Amino acid sequence: AMPGIVANVSGSVGFALSPEAGKTAEVLYERADYALYHAKQNRRGHPVMFSTEHETEMRSHSLVEQCLRNADLDAELSLDFQPLFDVEQNRVIAFEALARWQSPELGRVSPGVFIAIAERTDFINVLTRTLLRKALHAACKWPEGIQVSFNLSTRDLISTESILHIINIVNSSGFDPRRIDFEVTETALMADFDQVQQSIAALKTLGARISLDDFGTGYSSLS
């Protein structure tokens, strides 16, 4: 009980109408689930009905997912590094690793598209491992004192196997883990709090720093 505190609770809903969206229970469920996903991503706390636009998105995302799973990740994935500048020190103190994908079939695919699609499945764990290896390989050539900032997915943090892979990659890289800043989102923290706590503790024991990214854009600060 929290006397004097009012908590407003809302819910996102996705639904599909028959026969426009499909005629079988399986198809309708798949499309309603996609509408729910769309609601959570774009209209949190509102109902969304599956539409022809969503059908087009589903087909496009399915193609991207298929190409991503068949991709030569080492050859096709790359990183851009965005400098983080400290105005008090008047110097660059770190670079943030930003994922890029050049697909032979699709051309250059926006990270906003392929990362989101990978995060809907466990394939994001594979992407994380490939990108982290590339980021640390590049960072090994930087001057001492320059850190690397690397984003971790919710699925990375709720998977013990993924965290063990990440720790192994860091240990094998030759890069000082104290110069790594892993960025996690508020949404990731709330996904499975106990497991995420354990994952963060393991990364901090390694010596890495943890930063909270996009605070307030997922769950409320009350969470």
Side-chain angles (χ1 to χ4, degrees), residues 92-157:
V92 173
I93 59 171
F95 288 93
E96 181 176 5
L98 304 175
R100 299 292 182 259
W101 178 31
Q102 183 72 32
S103 166
E105 292 83 8
L106 304 174
R108 195 168 183 84
V109 184
S110 166
V113 173
F114 75 83
I115 293 295
I117 290 173
E119 283 184 332
R120 292 185 65 188
T121 69
D122 58 1
F123 197 71
I124 189 65
N125 302 140
V126 179
L127 288 191
T128 294
R129 294 196 290 269
T130 302
L131 292 168
L132 182 59
R133 280 194 296 267
K134 286 177 174 287
L136 296 183
H137 177 74
C140 281
K141 303 173 185 177
W142 299 347
E144 288 290 334
I146 301 295
Q147 297 182 328
V148 60
S149 178
F150 189 89
N151 289 281
L152 291 180
S153 161
T154 300
R155 287 184 177 268
D156 293 319
L157 294 167

Side-chain angles (χ1 to χ4, degrees), residues 14 27 80 85 87 114 139 142 170 176 187 193 211:
V27 171
D80 284 345
F85 194 85
V87 293
F114 75 83
W142 299 347
V170 173
D176 186 350
T187 306
F193 190 74
S211 295

